[in-house]
Amino acid sequence: MSGFHHVEVWIADRESLGDWAWLLTRLGFTRDSVWAEGESWGAGGSYLSLTTSPNLSSPVHDRRRAGINHLAFHGGSRAEVDALVAAAPAHGWRTLYAERYPHAGGPDHYAAWCENADGFKVEVVAE
């Protein structure tokens, strides 16, 4: 059997959950559980947990350090990715590589890259 069961992302505080909630809802995820320290969002049999932890070594996320650089999501059609990019800034996500959108990953790769205020980067890939 292949594929992810889940991914857990540690966040500095619950304030950024609004950014994530908008994005994940837009991408077809549903909120599966909520607890004092975070939330889990599911889609396609896998889930993503966003949680705070007293064990953080730093409250600042830096995707350029060892660890996860970004999460890549299926974004649907090209039109759906375009609509997400247009709406993202109003929901806490800034577009990266805008001058090369939608082919920053190469001429055959249609995708958007966005970053939230906490420095988490996501890639949203069209079908």
Side-chain angles (χ1 to χ4, degrees), residues 3-52:
F4 286 107
H5 182 270
H6 73 276
V7 173
E8 183 170 322
V9 174
W10 282 8
I11 56 176
D13 59 57
R14 292 183 54 85
E15 295 296 317
S16 67
L17 287 175
D19 302 352
W20 286 101
W22 172 81
L23 178 71
L24 295 170
T25 299
R26 184 82 184 229
L27 295 172
F29 284 73
T30 56
R31 186 182 287 128
D32 292 335
S33 62
V34 177
W35 60 97
E37 295 81 20
E39 302 177 351
S40 285
W41 292 77
S46 298
Y47 67 92
L48 174 65
S49 287
L50 303 163
T51 187
T52 61

Side-chain angles (χ1 to χ4, degrees), residues 52-76:
T52 61
S53 173
N55 297 318
L56 285 175
S57 61
S58 170
V60 179
H61 172 73
D62 184 347
R63 71 175 189 272
R64 294 173 188 98
R65 288 189 205 145
I68 292 177
N69 173 267
H70 70 280
L71 297 174
F73 297 95
H74 293 286

